[in-house]
Amino acid sequence: AIQMTQSPSSLSASVGDRVTITCRASQGIRNDLGWYQQKPGKAPNLLIYAASTLQSGVPSRFSGSGSGTDFTLTISSLQPEDFATYYCLQDYDYPYTFGQGTKLEI
Amino acid sequence: EVHLVQSGAELKKPGESLKISCKTSGYIFTIYWIAWVRQMPGKGLEWMGSFYPGDSDTTYSPSFQGQVTISADKSVTTAYLQWSSLKASDTAKYYCARHSEVLGNAFDIWGQGTMVTVSS
């Protein structure tokens, strides 16, 4: 199975900060990667698919980049509602695998 | 509008069987995969498997193969996740989610989750 290594596992930041979260795949996955945001008690929400395509309705402060094995989610200017846990998911090959998650805290 | 609405929370005893549901609406049920995702208390997300209602193709994660059964009923556009004999370690929140190659197989719509508690 493809392993997804996500870092950092937690991150302290402030409103207005620029933050970056990374995911590394154990083998090449083209650009078959999505980023998800999850708030406590809620279902995950798709932010980015195909590594860099912003899902409809998602604010433009979110962006994704990368291909092959290394991927990045960037939030350009943190807003209060962005404090949540973020996951990457490779959908290149079964079994699909999530990163371990990054908890973004104030 | 597309919706995935899951059945309510369950409290079961070890050894009991269970089938939870994911009722879909607002799109063509047979042309999107439905995935099931587990989240144990305080932990991350785990893909369990996916089901394609168009031809009943099913793929399981090796971690869940033989432990659960994923199915669907096209007549009521509903997907199911079932256990024949629950264990305490099955205690978790379970999500269904839609995916297709239209969005590169990303999980674009999610159910609200079903909490399953297994305790004697």
Side-chain angles (χ1 to χ4, degrees), chain A residues 36 38 41-46 49 55 87 89 91 94-96 98 100, chain B residues 33 39 43-45 47 59 93 95 99 103-108 110-111:
Chain A
Y36 299 79
Q38 187 180 33
K42 301 294 188 182
N45 181 50
L46 175 65
Y49 65 93
Q55 170 67 337
Y87 295 91
L89 168 67
D91 48 51
Y94 291 130
Y96 290 167
F98 287 93
Q100 304 96 314
Chain B
W33 291 80
Q39 187 165 41
K43 302 298 185 184
L45 304 170
W47 175 77
T59 303
K93 196 164 190 179
Y95 294 99
H99 64 100
L103 291 184
N105 281 316
F107 296 4
D108 66 332
W110 293 68

Side-chain angles (χ1 to χ4, degrees), chain B residues 22-108:
Chain B
C22 173
K23 168 67 179 168
T24 76
S25 61
Y27 73 97
I28 301 172
F29 183 62
T30 52
I31 64 171
Y32 286 83
W33 291 80
I34 293 286
W36 287 93
V37 175
R38 183 176 79 173
Q39 187 165 41
M40 299 177 78
K43 302 298 185 184
L45 304 170
E46 301 172 88
W47 175 77
M48 302 174 70
S50 291
F51 184 94
Y52 189 72
D55 61 6
S56 299
D57 189 13
T58 315
T59 303
Y60 293 96
S61 164
S63 300
F64 294 94
Q65 179 85 46
Q67 308 304 307
V68 297
T69 302
I70 297 171
S71 62
D73 183 340
K74 288 188 284 190
S75 68
V76 291
T77 64
T78 299
Y80 303 97
L81 176 66
Q82 68 181 84
W83 295 258
S84 59
S85 180
L86 286 160
K87 311 181 200 55
S89 57
D90 292 318
T91 295
K93 196 164 190 179
Y94 294 87
Y95 294 99
C96 61
R98 181 185 85 158
H99 64 100
S100 84
E101 290 179 1
V102 172
L103 291 184
N105 281 316
F107 296 4
D108 66 332

Side-chain angles (χ1 to χ4, degrees), chain A:
Chain A
I2 299 170
Q3 313 257 4
M4 300 303 297
T5 302
Q6 187 173 338
S7 61
S9 56
S10 64
L11 178 57
S12 293
S14 301
V15 172
D17 284 355
R18 178 185 179 90
V19 300
T20 299
I21 298 168
T22 65
C23 260
R24 172 164 287 176
S26 60
Q27 65 183 74
I29 58 169
R30 303 184 307 195
N31 68 338
D32 295 333
L33 182 113
W35 290 98
Y36 299 79
Q37 177 193 67
Q38 187 180 33
K39 296 184 178 178
K42 301 294 188 182
N45 181 50
L46 175 65
L47 301 174
I48 302 278
Y49 65 93
S52 61
T53 304
L54 195 67
Q55 170 67 337
S56 175
V58 174
S60 58
R61 62 181 179 273
F62 292 92
S63 64
S65 65
S67 68
T69 60
D70 294 307
F71 301 87
T72 299
L73 172 70
T74 299
I75 310 172
S76 61
S77 177
L78 274 174
Q79 298 302 300
E81 60 268 29
D82 300 337
F83 291 94
T85 301
Y86 294 83
Y87 295 91
C88 61
L89 168 67
Q90 69 82 14
D91 48 51
Y92 170 76
D93 194 20
Y94 291 130
Y96 290 167
T97 42
F98 287 93
Q100 304 96 314
T102 295
K103 187 171 184 180
L104 182 50
E105 301 173 297
I106 300 174

